[in-house]
Amino acid sequence: MQKTTKISPSSKAYLLCLFFLFSIQSISSQYIFKENSIPKRISIHNQTEFIDVKDKNLTLEEVLKISDDEFKDIPNENYDFGFTNSHIWLRFELKNETDDSFSLYFETARPITDYAILYVLKDGKLVTKYISGDAVPYNQRSFDLRKTIFKIRLTPNETKQFYLHVKSDGEMLSMPLLLRKSENLLAENDFEQFIFAFCFQQKLVKTF
């Protein structure tokens, strides 16, 4: 006769706590889009984790093998890593719980950042790779704007994982982590272009 192992009430409570903690960790790195709740501008720093691998130029496959507990939370919006030439990886997950497809623009590292490479995964498999950065020629960038921008598309009830690899040549590395609707991004870009043009014109007037 097979002996049945009984689990004590205290052990059950301990296992329940572990399950609860793991559930919190999973949810914290995922941003969920619900019906009729897609803002024009979203900061996802609370759902993003990062790891600084120093001078190691790792591949995506190597980063995927890194233990979860080595990744750290982003402490605040537009987090500043300081002056660094480290290879830094960030990760987050987006889940579309709506019945609609939609596209958003992901705005991140400052324009002077040398390299910003975004890997898009679904079910743990790479589906898209985007490249941007100050050291990348405009005709090779995934999105032709002064800012570091990537276009993200989610189909109904779809979940995707994102790994962002950034590298700067000793410059200050600050990381906005913003999702924007197209109209919000274009309106802001038009306004910035107007300001730049106005300032340039004023500079020319003072010169002459």
Side-chain angles (χ1 to χ4, degrees), residues 40-51:
K40 292 181 179 179
R41 179 186 183 278
I42 311 161
S43 175
I44 56 169
H45 67 279
N46 285 331
Q47 291 78 31
T48 304
E49 301 170 324
F50 79 94
I51 184 169

Side-chain angles (χ1 to χ4, degrees), residues 24-26 28-30 44-51 67-74 81 88-93 162-164 177:
I24 290 176
Q25 184 178 7
S26 175
S28 67
S29 61
Q30 181 186 77
I44 56 169
H45 67 279
N46 285 331
Q47 291 78 31
T48 304
E49 301 170 324
F50 79 94
I51 184 169
S67 173
D68 288 343
D69 56 16
E70 293 189 47
F71 283 84
K72 300 177 182 179
D73 293 334
I74 296 288
F81 288 93
I88 295 174
W89 287 79
L90 302 96
R91 68 178 188 180
F92 58 92
E93 185 173 277
F162 300 84
Y163 281 77
L164 176 65
L177 298 161

Side-chain angles (χ1 to χ4, degrees), residues 3-182:
K3 186 177 179 181
T4 302
T5 303
K6 294 183 178 180
I7 301 176
S8 66
S10 59
S11 297
K12 288 181 179 179
Y14 176 73
L15 292 173
L16 185 61
C17 287
L18 281 179
F19 175 78
F20 180 69
L21 289 172
F22 284 129
S23 298
I24 290 176
Q25 184 178 7
S26 175
I27 293 172
S28 67
S29 61
Q30 181 186 77
Y31 188 93
I32 301 175
F33 294 94
K34 298 183 180 294
E35 200 71 42
N36 300 321
S37 64
I38 303 176
K40 292 181 179 179
R41 179 186 183 278
I42 311 161
S43 175
I44 56 169
H45 67 279
N46 285 331
Q47 291 78 31
T48 304
E49 301 170 324
F50 79 94
I51 184 169
D52 183 345
V53 295
K54 307 301 180 185
D55 61 346
K56 298 177 182 177
N57 190 10
L58 302 180
T59 64
L60 173 64
E61 290 72 21
E62 291 172 319
V63 173
L64 291 174
K65 294 177 183 178
I66 297 176
S67 173
D68 288 343
D69 56 16
E70 293 189 47
F71 283 84
K72 300 177 182 179
D73 293 334
I74 296 288
N76 53 59
E77 187 174 347
N78 200 25
Y79 182 62
D80 185 358
F81 288 93
F83 295 94
T84 179
N85 56 7
S86 290
H87 290 272
I88 295 174
W89 287 79
L90 302 96
R91 68 178 188 180
F92 58 92
E93 185 173 277
L94 301 179
K95 183 177 183 180
N96 178 15
E97 288 190 348
T98 77
D99 294 326
D100 299 316
S101 297
F102 57 85
S103 295
L104 294 169
Y105 292 94
F106 176 45
E107 177 184 341
T108 185
R110 298 170 66 203
I112 62 171
T113 304
D114 287 347
Y115 295 98
I117 304 172
L118 182 68
Y119 299 89
V120 185
L121 293 80
K122 184 175 180 180
D123 299 325
K125 296 181 180 179
L126 180 67
V127 293
T128 311
K129 176 183 175 182
Y130 296 117
I131 300 176
S132 187
D134 191 47
V136 179
Y138 272 99
N139 62 354
Q140 295 179 23
R141 299 183 190 183
S142 300
F143 200 77
D144 189 10
L145 266 186
R146 185 182 65 88
K147 294 182 177 181
T148 306
I149 299 288
F150 303 102
K151 188 175 183 179
I152 290 174
R153 181 171 175 79
L154 292 172
T155 58
N157 302 299
E158 182 178 45
T159 300
K160 286 181 177 177
Q161 302 80 39
F162 300 84
Y163 281 77
L164 176 65
H165 177 201
V166 292
K167 173 73 166 62
S168 187
D169 189 18
E171 299 287 347
M172 180 178 288
L173 183 62
S174 61
M175 296 295 299
L177 298 161
L178 301 175
L179 296 177
R180 295 178 178 271
K181 286 187 174 181
S182 59

